Each structure stands twice: as C-alpha cells, then as structure tokens.
Amino acid sequence: MAFYEYNFVALILTCAFLKYRQHQQETQTRLDRELDDGVKHSEKRPEADHFTKLFLVVYLLVMGADWLQGPYVYALYKDEMGLTDSTVAALFATGFVSGAVSGYFVGSLADKYGRRTACQIFCFTYSCACFSTLVSSKPLLFFGRVLGGLSTSMLYSAFESWMVTEFHKRDLADKGGNLSNIFGTMTTMNSIVAIIAGVFSEWLVELTGTKRAPFMASAVCLGIAFWVMLNYWSENYGDSTESSSSGVPAKSALRLILEDKRLLAIGLASCFFEGSMYLFVFFWTPALKATRAGSSAAFTSSAAATGTNTLPFGIIFACFMCAVMLGSLLFTLLIGTWSLVSPSRLLSAIFALASSTFLMAVVSRDERVVFWSFCVFEACVGLYWPSAGYLKGKVVDDGVRGRVYGMLRVPLNVFVVVALTLTREGNDYRDTVFMACSGFLLVASGVFQTFVVE
C-alpha cells in the first residue's frame, strides 16, 4: 500500500473512532437527561430529531448537487466544449462577481419574502444554471454562471437562516435539540456526501460518455429538495415586512455590521479564511506536483517502484474530505459534548493553526510534510464551518439573519475575484499567495481574539 493509501486508511480509522466516542457520549448524555426529566424529555426529543432530519435531507441534497458539478466544471468548459483558458477564467470570474453583487440583496429579499421561498428559488435558478451547460453557447454559458453566482449566495445564506430561525421559533433547545450538534453534523455529513458525489459523478461520466451528466444529476437532486421543502418545510421571515408595515425602515445589513464590532470581525475573518480556502482549491494540485520533484530520493524511488509516481488525485481528495470530517467530529466533541472551549476561542485558534499550515507549505519542499499540512488545513475547514455557523447563530438576530449572512459574503467574493485576476504561473507566485494567506489568517486570529473572544 502506497503513502497516500496509508494516510487515507489512517484518517478513516481516526474518524470512525471519534464518531464512536461521540455516539457513546451522546447516548450517555441522553440517558442522564431522561433520568433527570423523566418521561417529559423522552416525549419532547422526537420533535427536535424530526426537525434535524428534515433539514439535513434538504441540506445534503443541495450540497450534493453542488459537489456533483465541482470536479467537472473546468473539464466541461475546457475539454468537452473546447473553450480557451481566458474564456474559462472569465466564466469563473463572472460567477464570483455575480455572487458578490447578489450577496448585497438576496438576504434582504429572503428576510422579506420568506427563507423557504428563497431556498426554493435557489433550486430553480441552480437547475437553470445546470441546464445552461447543455448548449455550447457562450452567452448562455455566461448567463448560467450569473445564475450560479446568485444561487451560491442563496445557498450560503437562506438555508442556514431558515434552520437557525426555525430552531429558535420552535424552542427546540428546550426540547432536546442542540444547535452546535446540528452544525457539526452538517459538516460531517457534507464531507461524506462530497466523497460519494465525487465517485458517483465519475461513474456517470464513464457511463454516459459526457461531462454534462453530473450537471443533469445535480438538477434531479435540486428537484427533489424543492419538493421536500414545498411539502414539509414551514415558512419563516425576518423583520423586513414588519419594518415596512410600521413605517420604520429596517437597518441596512452594512450598517448593522459596521455598528457591531463582533459582526465586523466575523465578516473580516470569514473573508480571509474562506478566501484562503478558495485559493487553496486552485493551488494545492500544483503545490503537490512541485514538491514531488523535491521529495527525498527514498520516497521518490519508493513511489516509482510501486507504480505511483503520478499523484493519485482521487485518493488525495478523499483524504482531504476525511480531514474535513475529522475536524467536524472534533467540533462536536469539543463544543457540544465536552464543552471544553467556546466557539469564539476555537475559531481564533483555528485561524492561527491554518496560518501555520500555509507557512509550512512554503518552508518545506517535502511532499509528505506539505500533504500533511494540507490535511491539517482541511481539518481546520471542518472545524471552521460549524464554529462560524454556531457563532453567527448566536450573534445575528433572527429578524435580519438573511440580509446579514448575504452581506458577509460580499467581501469574500471580491477577495476571490481580485485574487483570480492576479493569478500567475510559477512556484514563486504560489509561494507568495500562500504567504499572503498565512498573514491574512494571522490577522484574522488577532482580530478575533481582540473583538469576539468572550
């Protein structure tokens, strides 16, 4: 078994152990609560469990739809449609610009007209973006990317807004529900769905002979999610309608963020961390390719002897997803089960640790060290999503949740568009990007420690 296969097995076993420990702790905690509360708690908990399952079904369907497309977006444009590199880059940039512009208003519209409605509109617009790939027409492809950017803004604002608001509206915390556990489960299950979606999309392409097939499968997932929401989700709103009816204008999301130092710090940190995450997606492949030539002679000859001189990108991606899962499981144990640290302190530590991983990727030219650094960064990603989601759930009011979540994504999209515009070939430029990400994340950690940590 080669180096990456060993690491994949080790990561899976570690995740399995953590999941087992989590299950043990949750079972014991449930039994303790039932002894304290008696039958009353046992009768109430099914409502919280039903809500969690109902939300996760939809959430995993829409995230699965997103993951199905991911591996083949570039390949479809470049290989199957024969577009130039500059056109492909323009298509990607169009999506991020659309996300930046739409992030300013989609949250407000979701608050005013309903979060469930916004989630259903997401399913429709993202399906249209998928169908736009059926025709090799540049105007239609650019229109599809505009819809894709709009949809992404709704994906990362409306769904979470609906879930947190509904959780509070139903008083599920008093009925056995745990918001931090929901966020942890979301990230864990999302990692599993990502792995399954990657394998399934590859099988679809081999079966059909076209890279458009995963996009059509994505549309099917979105259609099912739309149907589940239509039949089983209730609607909830923000305070936009109340403000307009009373004649008092609602505060703009930008003003809300600027007036609250905690929100401003969260927005800055989210921009730096998630921006670094997107840049990591672009640069991890060439970074590992470059380190292979500089690895130790023993490691290189061992890889060649086993026929693995070419990097196994599928296994590496699976390792990264396992690392994300490991991070989410650690979050559930640290925050939900053991209550060892607050989410704000954990996020400050996450940013500092993530900063060191980028620095290590620049300092070391050993393939194994760089790979392990990348795995640690992915574990930070797994810790970040539920921590940030839980913290925003506490800091942001339900009435303005959609518009604030949407606004927080605007600087992120601008950050990524600027970074993509400046992208150049070569190891020196990649090292510069990694050093910049390391510095940004260190700043984020300091800002968080100063303004957010309790």
Side-chain angles (χ1 to χ4, degrees):
M1 195 182 293
F3 169 76
Y4 290 106
E5 282 76 3
Y6 276 123
N7 280 274
F8 180 56
V9 172
L11 285 166
I12 286 181
L13 291 175
T14 305
C15 288
F17 172 74
L18 289 177
K19 185 62 180 175
Y20 174 71
R21 289 289 300 159
Q22 177 186 327
H23 176 72
Q24 275 189 321
Q25 292 289 335
E26 288 178 352
T27 301
Q28 186 59 47
T29 301
R30 185 179 297 118
L31 291 173
D32 291 342
R33 286 180 178 176
E34 289 181 354
L35 286 174
D36 292 338
D37 299 341
V39 180
K40 184 178 179 181
H41 177 82
S42 299
E43 290 176 345
K44 285 185 174 182
R45 182 168 179 85
E47 182 180 348
D49 290 341
H50 177 72
F51 169 80
T52 302
K53 291 173 183 176
L54 194 59
F55 171 72
L56 286 176
V57 166
V58 173
Y59 177 77
L60 295 176
L61 278 170
V62 297
M63 293 306 298
D66 194 43
W67 285 116
L68 280 168
Q69 303 174 41
Y72 289 100
V73 176
Y74 180 87
L76 176 65
Y77 291 152
K78 178 68 176 176
D79 301 334
E80 192 156 322
M81 295 184 178
L83 301 178
T84 62
D85 285 335
S86 59
T87 302
V88 174
L91 284 167
F92 275 93
T94 299
F96 284 110
V97 170
S98 173
V101 173
S102 60
Y104 187 78
F105 62 83
V106 294
S108 297
L109 293 178
D111 287 342
K112 183 174 183 179
Y113 296 104
R115 281 76 176 263
R116 186 190 72 167
T117 300
C119 294
Q120 290 174 311
I121 292 174
F122 158 81
C123 291
F124 175 75
T125 55
Y126 211 22
S127 295
C128 290
C130 294
F131 292 132
S132 71
T133 63
L134 292 174
V135 182
S136 300
S137 165
K138 287 185 181 180
L140 190 58
L141 291 175
F142 275 99
F143 179 67
R145 294 304 298 175
V146 170
L147 290 179
L150 170 67
S151 302
T152 300
S153 291
M154 288 188 282
L155 175 62
Y156 287 100
S157 59
F159 286 89
E160 195 172 302
S161 295
W162 180 89
M163 185 272 290
V164 175
T165 301
E166 200 71 13
F167 184 92
H168 292 154
K169 188 171 74 173
R170 299 187 187 190
D171 294 323
L172 294 180
D174 297 329
K175 301 175 183 178
N178 189 313
L179 195 58
S180 65
N181 283 351
I182 293 177
F183 279 112
T185 303
M186 285 165 59
T187 308
T188 301
M189 296 302 295
N190 188 31
S191 303
I192 296 173
V193 167
I195 297 171
I196 295 173
V199 174
F200 183 67
S201 62
E202 184 173 348
W203 175 79
L204 274 179
V205 171
E206 291 178 358
L207 180 68
T208 61
T210 174
K211 295 180 176 65
R212 292 180 170 91
F215 293 82
M216 299 305 102
S218 177
V220 172
C221 291
L222 293 168
I224 297 172
F226 183 96
W227 180 85
V228 174
M229 285 186 284
L230 183 64
N231 288 279
Y232 296 102
W233 278 26
S234 59
E235 186 63 276
N236 62 54
Y237 302 88
D239 63 5
S240 299
T241 53
E242 297 172 7
S243 299
S244 60
S245 63
S246 63
V248 180
K251 283 186 179 180
S252 71
L254 181 59
R255 184 179 172 187
L256 285 167
I257 293 171
L258 293 177
E259 289 179 352
D260 190 329
K261 290 183 179 180
R262 295 176 303 167
L263 279 177
L264 195 59
I266 290 172
L268 180 68
S270 296
C271 173
F272 288 160
F273 185 88
E274 295 178 36
S276 298
M277 183 180 67
Y278 280 116
L279 293 176
F280 172 81
V281 171
F282 282 98
F283 287 110
W284 74 261
T285 299
L288 282 177
K289 281 183 176 179
T291 57
R292 169 138 292 197
S295 295
S296 65
F299 179 64
T300 306
S301 60
S302 174
T306 56
T308 57
N309 206 33
T310 302
L311 287 168
F313 293 113
I315 296 295
I316 294 172
F317 176 77
C319 288
F320 289 165
M321 289 302 99
C322 285
V324 173
M325 191 190 314
L326 189 150
S328 66
L329 290 169
L330 281 174
F331 167 83
T332 303
L333 289 170
L334 291 172
I335 303 295
T337 305
W338 296 330
S339 301
L340 293 179
V341 64
S342 68
S344 55
R345 288 189 181 278
L346 181 60
L347 278 168
S348 181
I350 289 168
F351 298 143
L353 180 59
S355 172
S356 68
T357 63
F358 281 106
L359 184 61
M360 184 60 68
V362 174
V363 173
S364 176
R365 295 302 178 188
D366 187 281
E367 181 181 342
R368 292 163 293 189
V369 174
V370 173
F371 167 75
W372 288 326
S373 297
F374 288 168
C375 284
V376 172
F377 176 74
E378 290 288 6
C380 289
V381 172
L383 282 162
Y384 166 80
W385 286 119
S387 301
Y390 181 72
L391 186 61
K392 287 187 292 184
K394 291 181 63 179
V395 172
V396 182
D397 292 334
D398 287 337
V400 295
R401 193 171 300 282
R403 79 182 80 153
V404 171
Y405 281 17
M407 179 58 69
L408 289 174
R409 292 192 61 80
V410 173
L412 164 65
N413 284 287
V414 173
F415 179 92
V416 175
V417 169
V418 172
L420 286 176
T421 304
L422 298 176
T423 297
R424 300 290 183 271
E425 297 287 341
N427 295 339
D428 291 339
Y429 177 78
R430 185 180 61 253
D431 288 346
T432 301
V433 170
F434 282 178
M435 286 295 294
C437 289
S438 179
F440 286 142
L441 289 168
L442 204 57
V443 170
S445 179
V447 169
F448 232 73
Q449 187 68 31
T450 303
F451 296 107
V452 183
V453 171
E454 301 162 350

